[in-house]
Amino acid sequence: MAFNFSKSNLPKQLFINNEYVDSKNKKKLSAYNPKDGSLVANDVALAGGQDVDAAVEAAEKAFPAWKRMPPIQRRDIMLKFAALVEEHGEALAELTRITLGAPYGSFGKFETGLIVETFKYNAGWIDKFAGESFPQEDGFLKIVRNEPLGVVCGIVPWNGPLGSVGLKAAPALATGNCFIIKPSEKTPFASLALGPLIKEAGFPPGVLQVLSGDGSTGALLASHMRIRKVSFTGSISTGKKIQEMAARSNLKRVTLEL
C-alpha cells in the first residue's frame, strides 16, 4: 500500500483493520476550502454504527497480541511510523491546508513536527513504565501493576488534525492500547492519509485505525460499550455531551481539552 495521496487524489475511505474500506453508512461528508467556501469533496466517508462496531471488533482482536508485544518491537514500530510521517510531512500538511487554510511555513511544518516528536518521545518511554511495591510491614506484599485499558479513541479538532493525533494516539499506543482516530469533519484528509504509513510502519491490523465522520460518529464512539476511554479536544458544550455519554454507557474514562 503506497502513499500516493495529494490534492488531486484525496483519501476518502475509512481505514479499518489496516485496509481502506467504504463506509456502510450511505451518508457522506462534504469538505470546503475556507478561503472562498468552494467545495473540495462531497463524498468523504461518514462512519456509522456498523463502521464503528467493525473498528472496535478489529481493535479488540488486535489488543491481546499488541499489549504482549516486546517493548523494543513496539518502540521500533512507533519510531518507524514517526520517520515515515516526517518523510511525507509536506504532503500530509498540504492535505490539511486544503480545508484548514493555514500555510505550511507558519503552521503545517510545526504540526507535522509535533506528531513526529510525540511518537518519538512516547516510543522512548515504552520500556520505562514501572509499577510499585510496598513494604511488607503488615505481612502482605502489595504490588501495583499498570495495565493498558484496551480499545480507546481520540476525537480530534479541526485546527490540529495531525498534531492532536500524536498527542492522543502516541501515549495510548506506547502503553499497549489500541487506538481509533476520529478527525474533524472539517479537516479529515491528513488523518485518513495515514493508512499506508500505519501499515508500512508495522502496526498490526486493528491497532491504529481512522474513522472519518461528524458529531454523530463522535457520539457513537463516546457511547460505545466496548470502548474504554475517549480523549476529546473541542468546545465546552460538546465536551459536556461527551462526558455525559461516557458516563451513561460504560462509565469509560474521559480526557477533555476544552
Side-chain angles (χ1 to χ4, degrees):
M1 184 186 291
F3 182 94
N4 58 359
F5 296 117
S6 65
K7 185 166 62 174
S8 58
N9 183 33
L10 297 171
K12 300 175 183 178
Q13 293 176 292
L14 309 175
F15 187 74
I16 299 176
N17 209 29
N18 271 15
E19 298 293 339
Y20 281 107
V21 296
D22 293 327
S23 172
K24 298 286 196 297
N25 188 1
K26 293 182 180 180
K27 295 181 179 179
K28 299 293 182 182
L29 290 175
S30 295
Y32 300 89
N33 184 330
K35 180 181 178 181
D36 55 13
S38 59
L39 181 69
V40 173
N42 61 1
D43 56 350
V44 182
L46 195 164
Q50 289 179 281
D51 304 306
V52 171
D53 286 343
V56 171
E57 183 177 350
E60 287 178 332
K61 288 181 179 178
F63 175 58
W66 177 247
K67 75 172 182 177
R68 290 196 306 267
M69 182 179 287
I72 292 176
Q73 186 177 350
R74 198 151 21 116
R75 178 203 66 191
D76 289 348
I77 290 173
M78 290 185 65
L79 289 175
K80 185 173 181 180
F81 178 73
L84 290 168
V85 171
E86 190 169 29
E87 179 184 344
H88 297 282
E90 287 196 41
L92 289 167
E94 175 65 11
L95 290 170
T96 292
R97 188 199 63 76
I98 295 169
T99 56
L100 179 64
Y104 178 73
S106 61
F107 182 78
K109 187 175 183 180
F110 158 77
E111 205 200 12
T112 53
L114 181 58
I115 183 175
V116 168
E117 291 304 320
T118 51
F119 266 83
K120 287 181 179 178
Y121 175 83
N122 285 280
W125 274 101
I126 287 179
D127 60 352
K128 300 174 183 66
F129 294 112
E132 294 179 283
S133 62
F134 299 88
Q136 302 181 50
E137 296 173 351
D138 56 0
F140 294 91
L141 176 62
K142 294 174 282 292
I143 298 174
V144 177
R145 179 172 173 173
N146 298 310
E147 294 283 350
L149 293 172
V151 182
V152 299
C153 70
I155 300 174
V156 175
W158 64 271
N159 58 348
L162 269 182
S164 293
V165 169
L167 293 169
K168 295 181 186 300
L173 295 167
T175 48
N177 299 284
C178 294
F179 199 86
I180 299 171
I181 303 164
K182 206 295 282 184
S184 167
E185 63 271 26
K186 296 179 180 179
T187 51
F189 298 122
S191 293
L192 288 173
L194 294 174
L197 311 185
I198 292 170
K199 197 167 184 177
E200 186 177 349
F203 282 106
V207 171
L208 183 55
Q209 304 175 92
V210 187
L211 300 180
S212 53
D214 58 11
S216 65
T217 308
L220 289 167
L221 293 168
S223 59
H224 203 285
M225 292 297 292
R226 286 146 57 201
I227 292 177
R228 304 294 300 277
K229 178 177 179 176
V230 55
S231 175
F232 168 79
T233 300
S235 69
I236 293 174
S237 59
T238 303
K240 289 179 178 179
K241 294 176 183 177
I242 294 286
Q243 194 159 24
E244 182 178 353
M245 286 184 281
R248 289 184 180 276
S249 53
N250 59 344
L251 204 62
K252 62 176 60 64
R253 301 186 189 191
V254 180
T255 298
L256 301 175
E257 181 188 5
L258 306 176

